Amino acid sequence: MQVIETIGDFRRARAAFGRLGLVPTMGYLHEGHLSLVRQARATCGAVAVSIFVNPTQFGPQEDFATYPRDTERDMRLLRSAPTDLVFVPTVSTMYPQGFASLVEVAGVTEVLEGAARPGHFRGVATVVCKLLNIVQPTHAFFGQKDAQQVVVIQTMVRDLNLPTEVVVGPTVREPDGLAMSSRNTYLSPPERQAATVLYRALVAAQQRYAQGVREGEAMRQTMHQVLDREPLARTDYVSVADPRTLQELDAVGDQGALLSMAVFIGTTRLIDALLLSEP
Ligand code: PAF
């Protein structure tokens, strides 16, 4: 496994591979990332992982400074995954003095996480565009848990004709349903227990759908009711949206629906999502 910090060295190392899958991460790896690494190897035969806590996707009041980091542990996990190339750029490698170009994806960034976190997806699209240009992977792998991020990146790759195939891996969950996330580490033991409410709310709405309910508002209410019963939870939003446009649905039709939510558990803001498709 080669661990590389500079763009020039990375490009030289990359030249040894044909098909290459990239798993972009912010480190503090968990099974969700490792399942994408395995999927990348199965699809491409060779895997690159980037580890970069990207400052431009954090708001001024957000957790950039305290975002969990443990490079040694990450390297251990990647070595046994296994991984061929690891790209660990510094902030000044990615954003040198004079850096002035940003990638703005309109429409799908203006709702949900984009409305709650202004500028977040500009930072995500910019850094992912840069990583795709540096790594030049044939495929790039993202988790379904960050469902809106997936739509934003798919839109950017399509609109800018980037020659990479975007592959989406399933959300990896703890045995009690909590979606794996580096931010779960912020939760105290009682908060960790309470955090299962996100998945319980998604499943409750999914069950209503299975029973034949199609009204978006009825499913949003079901999720609210489950979340409201958890004293440590404060709901930021719940959504039943078109999976491509991310616009709220009055009724779920042939397009299916993306159920998603952001919920504060104590001071930790967690997101989760579940895709409904026509049975
Ligand atoms: O999902 C993440 O970890 C980040 O948003 C990403 C895609 C690595 C960009 O910084």
Side-chain angles (χ1 to χ4, degrees):
M1 181 173 94
Q2 297 177 66
V3 181
I4 302 168
E5 283 182 25
T6 69
I7 294 170
D9 286 348
F10 193 90
R11 288 218 165 115
R12 276 183 287 280
R14 194 266 175 262
F17 299 90
R19 281 165 76 90
L20 180 69
L22 170 66
V23 182
T25 81
M26 298 205 299
Y28 213 73
L29 303 177
H30 50 67
E31 186 50 34
H33 299 112
L34 298 177
S35 75
L36 293 177
V37 171
R38 287 193 291 272
Q39 198 180 353
R41 176 161 300 284
T43 308
C44 303
V47 189
V49 173
S50 60
I51 298 180
F52 180 62
V53 185
N54 173 36
T56 65
Q57 70 187 74
F58 289 80
Q61 310 304 326
E62 293 183 357
D63 55 344
F64 173 68
T66 55
Y67 193 84
R69 293 161 169 89
D70 189 342
T71 310
E72 255 178 51
R73 180 176 158 276
D74 288 348
M75 293 305 157
R76 240 188 354 261
L77 290 170
L78 291 178
R79 214 165 277 121
S80 58
T83 306
D84 299 285
L85 302 174
V86 186
F87 183 47
V88 282
T90 61
V91 172
S92 61
T93 293
M94 293 301 274
Y95 301 110
Q97 264 215 320
F99 183 87
S101 305
L102 298 166
V103 179
E104 186 83 60
V105 179
V108 292
T109 58
E110 286 156 26
V111 292
L112 307 174
E113 287 301 285
R117 304 179 66 189
H120 169 66
F121 285 120
R122 188 187 310 122
V124 171
T126 301
V127 82
V128 171
C129 186
K130 284 173 68 68
L131 290 168
L132 295 182
N133 283 325
I134 294 165
V135 174
Q136 305 198 355
T138 50
H139 300 70
F141 295 79
F142 298 89
Q144 178 61 41
K145 171 183 162 279
D146 297 313
Q148 187 174 12
Q149 171 169 281
V150 165
V151 176
V152 171
I153 290 166
Q154 285 169 331
T155 305
M156 173 185 77
V157 164
R158 182 199 66 196
D159 291 352
L160 301 183
N161 309 102
L162 301 178
T164 296
E165 188 176 322
V166 174
V167 185
V168 184
T171 303
V172 179
R173 298 183 180 281
E174 301 285 357
D176 62 7
L178 177 65
M180 290 199 183
S181 162
S182 307
R183 289 190 169 101
N184 292 350
T185 183
Y186 297 149
L187 301 168
S188 68
E191 288 171 346
R192 167 64 189 78
Q193 275 220 308
T196 58
V197 75
L198 280 83
Y199 186 57
R200 285 187 276 120
L202 290 171
V203 169
Q206 185 185 40
Q207 281 167 352
R208 294 212 68 194
Y209 181 72
Q211 289 157 0
V213 173
R214 291 294 178 269
E215 297 78 28
E217 194 47 36
M219 287 197 261
R220 284 186 282 272
Q221 267 185 23
T222 296
M223 292 192 278
H224 272 300
Q225 280 161 6
V226 175
L227 292 165
D228 288 350
R229 284 201 295 269
E230 173 49 65
L232 295 182
R234 183 167 58 80
T235 306
D236 192 355
Y237 66 78
V238 300
S239 165
V240 177
D242 181 297
R244 282 155 307 172
T245 64
L246 304 183
Q247 294 303 305
E248 291 303 311
L249 289 172
D250 291 334
V252 181
D254 293 345
Q255 77 276 52
L258 179 68
L259 309 179
S260 68
M261 58 181 58
V263 179
F264 284 94
I265 304 290
T267 55
T268 304
R269 186 173 180 279
L270 299 178
I271 61 171
D272 201 351
L274 203 150
L275 208 48
L276 291 182
S277 46
E278 275 294 300

